[in-house]
Amino acid sequence: MAVDFRFIVIGRGMMGSAAARHLSSMADGIALIGPREPEERKAHHGVFASHYDEARIARTFDANLAWGTFAARALDRYSQIEAESGISFYSEVGCLYVGPQKAEQDFFRSAVAVSRTLGSDIEAIAPDDLGRRFPYLTVDPDFAGYFERKRAGHINPRALVRAQARLAERGGVSLIEETVTSVRDAGSHVEVTAGGRNYSAERVLVAAGGFSNFHTLLPRPVDTRVVGRTVVFYEMGEREMAIFGDMPSTIVLGDREEDHIYILPPVRYPDGKTYLKLGGDTETLSFQKLEDAGAWFRSDGNAAERDHLWRIALQLMPELAGCPVTSGPCVANFTPTGYPYIGFTQSPRIGVLTGGNFVAAKSSDELGRLGAVLLAEGRLGDEDFGRELTPIFA
């Protein structure tokens, strides 16, 4: 039968919009379906995406070759995407990794080796030099650092999604601003229901992030753990900007996993104020239902986690004392493999792209490209870590 589209991508977040853009250069007849960001987060009762923010860390420094490769490939395309779309989203301010020297025996040593493979320029910072080079940060005397000056900094995820969507539409992709509530393999094609209408396609890619298992988007749920995390925002004044204004993105490895912290430099937000954002690895809630995830997105996060982050922030950056502090919700989508899922479901016509594992924003353009390759070519090769990306289903 004749279909409405050759390929449909479900989800207008960072990965889905990237997949649509890449598909636009591979084939005709592409649709990208998904709602835009809600105007009023706390009054919204539909689905959410996790890119409603102004800053996410970008880096290639990683102990895992696959994740480092995904990041490097994406970062190498940022300037082209910015130039072609006319939308700026990348700030190359560098990224600093710091932690106890004993960590060098495992994570740091592996990350340095991966960086050499990727051709990344990583500078080792001795403990005695950390305070002099990065005076905004107060860490234990035995902490060492690694600084990635190029191909590192932070991205504006909202702006990146806008850039991807603009280029996708320019490439002939149909943008449909509706929420998909059903995906069904009809034998010779796939039927997609969105906004009370049915659309048909030869193949469909479900890129709905932490909401992939909600509604009826997949033949079987993927094996993921969707959890809530809390982030805190420190409002910057002139005094604070003089101290923190030129800092790079920063990741601090604590002695305990719950003390790991990531810090985004001061960035201006839509309310006109400038905030330094900080988050960690602790989590208190997991979600199996749409309404529970939605309630979390409408909240201000977890108060106990906010206070934990506040205490660590003041230890690491005492000059933050006195700054107005607010908090917000974030959702992380973890897979048991530690890799994203990019592969077909029980249907050879329905693929899935999900599982950011809390580190995928910087790599979203490459992960989207891999989703596009999956739909267009039917498989991913070893050069794209295809076996590692095989989905696991619940």
Side-chain angles (χ1 to χ4, degrees), residues 271-311:
D271 64 1
K273 297 179 180 179
T274 299
Y275 298 95
L276 179 150
K277 186 180 77 169
L278 182 142
D281 282 346
T282 57
E283 55 217 23
T284 55
L285 296 172
S286 61
F287 311 113
Q288 285 81 38
K289 297 180 180 179
L290 173 65
E291 52 267 31
D292 294 337
W296 174 255
F297 268 108
R298 290 188 294 273
S299 76
D300 292 324
N302 178 271
E305 189 174 347
R306 177 201 64 207
D307 292 344
H308 171 72
L309 291 170
W310 177 79
R311 286 190 295 270

Side-chain angles (χ1 to χ4, degrees), residues 4-8 23-31 171-174 202:
D4 298 317
F5 300 101
R6 184 175 178 189
F7 302 130
I8 290 176
L23 278 169
S24 71
S25 65
M26 300 177 183
D28 296 325
I30 313 299
V173 174
S174 298
E202 295 178 12

Side-chain angles (χ1 to χ4, degrees), residues 8-13 16 31-34 178-183 190 192-193 204-209 217 353:
I8 290 176
V9 178
I10 297 171
R12 285 185 60 182
L32 174 61
I33 306 180
E178 297 289 353
T179 298
V180 175
T181 54
S182 175
V183 178
V190 182
V192 174
T193 302
V204 167
L205 181 68
V206 177
L217 305 184
L353 166 59

